[in-house]
Amino acid sequence: MSNAQPIIKTTDLGQRLNGRDVLRNINLRIDRGEVFALIGPTGSGKTTLLRLLDLIDSPSQGKVYFDGTDVTESVRQRLETRRRMAFVLQKPVVFNTSVYENIAYGLKWRGMSRDNIRSRLDEVLEMVDLADFRKRNARMLSGGEVQRVAIARAIATEPEVLLLDEPTANLDPVSTAKIEELITNIIQRYHTTIVMATHDMSQGQRLADRVGMLLDGEILQTGDWREVFNTPQSREMANFVGVENIIDGVVQSSENNVVTIGTDDSVIEAVSDCAAGEQVHACIRSEEVTLALSRHSTSARNTFSGEIARIITTGPVARVEIDCGFRLVALVTKRSVEEMALETGKQVYASFKATAVHVIRQD
Amino acid sequence: MTELWDGFTKAIELIVSLDPEVMQIAGRSLAFAATSCVIAALISLPLGSIIHFNNFFGKRLLINVIQTLYSVPTVAVGLFVYVLLSRSGPLGGLGFLFSPPAIIIGQVLLVIPIITGLTITALSGVDRTVTDTAISLGASRFQAATLLTREARFAILAGLIMGFGRVISEVGLSLMVGGNISGFTRTLTTAISLETSKGELELALALGIILIAIALVVNITLNRLQQR
Ligand SMILES: Nc1ncnc2c1ncn2[C@@H]1O[C@H](COP(=O)(O)OP(=O)(O)OP(=O)(O)O)[C@@H](O)[C@H]1O
Ligand SMILES: [Mg+2]
């Protein structure tokens, strides 16, 4: 797959808006048929990047290649290339006309005949489940329906690349599920290459083959969802993918990929190839931390005693904050909170395995 | 007071009986205003689009000037057209002065700023995302501009109607370059001013009521469009 020509490639792409570098050094390659999710918090530059990929805006730096051709400059080439893609904007707007005419626009602009448009639209309308709405004015539709019109309008043109900007933001769970199902159907039916922006990690996981983590205008990491989720490569990324325990320390010893990390006044064992003397962040997901009332009930390498500082229960799980020299958060079931009679001020033993620690080198 | 009341009832009579002279004057007024607005629209709509869709030095200033000209005094335009068309003026050879073409030329000049300005306002009132959406769906610049104009159609139409309201009710210009010639260039407004000065109050009132009725229709239409 990666030997073939990527459908989209960017080199050192950058965008400067109002004197601020909103995007820097974006080197992306998207393969044909791939579903790629750009994940990043609000303001990280997802929309800005998608606008560059769709050739709506021109970058202040770097180049965009489409199917091997540099399409950064020529106006005509940009229009032709744009016609091979479709972009569903973050806040989709519909034109003040019927649902049918809305969806027909992209095809009309490409010079398709009325009859061909009709047969194409019959298929698309049925696919997005809007066949009964075809004559309705699109301005009268609900948010979820507008989103479906926007997607229909995009796929009607049979794009080689479909760009989706937060396709389910501001939708309720039912509409979200419907849109995600629709995207899945598009992937199966047309094998369209998809680049989608989302700030929802789990949506990236559900839909994408590969994710790219965007933070402050830079792509910090790309790869398989699991890899990005479990082995973030920076403190910011760890934070963003929801690692609650990030403890700073220095590697004291290293033997057979097992390291001991000295923190302020404790030592953590971890599996890592870092060498002695390196400054690191030790990342431990809160669900990997287990609690016990006595030291002997655990075989984990890292066990710390401490006092419970706070317990926050949400539904069936509880977040327990323990003060054991450093602050450690454990995610336990509400049931174990009751069984062990955990409460603020109680002494407990918190432990986690050496393999549960993900070590990041500090820069 | 009774004089006014008598005048009012007589005026109603003149209107209900479709008095030929009253109808002729009203018809002429409508014809002049409509012709002027159509010609002005043919110039202003493309002009407004060109100004809106292009970025150039002094654009902001130009728009400010256009908006200032919304309220240019009708007599000022009248004077300008008079000088232009008078026998010794640059277009004097056309012999248009004191004839319908003179009124129409003046009215066109009078409303070009209004229609152009309101077209620009209408186009900028359309959500920026509409243009982005069109571009992203593969529209060329021209196709996107056409769509945007379509999206702004009600606001643009409102501008046209505003222009119509301005020309149908102006008097200074028609009087100066039309000459208020009976059966030729006499319009509702010039007739009202003449009849009033002659003391023919019922005729003046009848014409005034018709003018108000036209203004009312224009306003109602405008309000309806703005509610879209
Ligand atoms: N036209 C612009 N001029 C100046 N700054 C801009 C412009 N557009 C975006 N920005 C800034 O660039 C940054 C990135 O914006 P962008 O919309 O790409 O973020 P995003 O990741 O899509 O966020 P969200 O998840 O909220 O949609 C933001 O800080 C934003 O304020
Ligand atoms: Mg965005």
Side-chain angles (χ1 to χ4, degrees), chain A residues 51 54 56 79 82-83 85-87 89 91 93 95-97 105-106 109-110 139 153, chain B residues 127-130 132-141 143-144 147 150-151 153-154:
Chain A
R51 289 176 67 94
D54 195 42
I56 293 182
L79 176 61
R82 206 181 294 122
R83 286 185 171 168
M85 299 189 265
F87 182 16
L89 276 69
K91 286 181 224 109
V93 292
F95 309 134
N96 193 359
T97 176
Y105 260 112
W109 284 327
R110 284 164 178 76
R139 286 275 164 95
R153 204 162 49 181
Chain B
D127 194 339
R128 247 212 75 76
T129 337
V130 169
D132 285 345
T133 305
I135 300 280
S136 79
L137 287 169
S140 65
R141 263 171 68 89
Q143 287 168 332
L147 174 81
R150 213 191 104 87
E151 290 293 295
R153 61 193 181 276
F154 294 118

Side-chain angles (χ1 to χ4, degrees), chain A residues 233 235 247-252 259-264 272 274-282 358-363:
Chain A
Q233 280 164 22
R235 189 177 221 285
I247 302 149
D248 295 350
V250 181
V251 177
Q252 293 177 335
V259 293
T260 55
I261 300 164
T263 69
D264 284 348
S272 159
C274 288
E278 282 193 87
Q279 303 257 347
V280 294
H281 304 292
H358 169 60
V359 181
I360 304 172
R361 287 186 178 86
Q362 290 187 24
D363 3 81

Side-chain angles (χ1 to χ4, degrees), chain A residues 94 99 130 133 136-146 149:
Chain A
V94 287
V99 167
L130 286 173
F133 288 66
R136 269 229 236 159
N137 186 303
R139 286 275 164 95
M140 307 299 161
L141 301 178
S142 74
E145 287 157 357
V146 164
V149 170

Side-chain angles (χ1 to χ4, degrees), chain A residues 46-47 90 165-166:
Chain A
K46 303 181 292 293
T47 301
Q90 183 162 4
D165 196 355
E166 311 233 10

Side-chain angles (χ1 to χ4, degrees), chain A residues 73-88:
Chain A
E73 299 294 337
S74 144
V75 171
R76 234 195 79 211
Q77 209 163 35
R78 288 168 68 87
L79 176 61
E80 277 166 16
T81 310
R82 206 181 294 122
R83 286 185 171 168
R84 294 168 66 182
M85 299 189 265
F87 182 16
V88 178

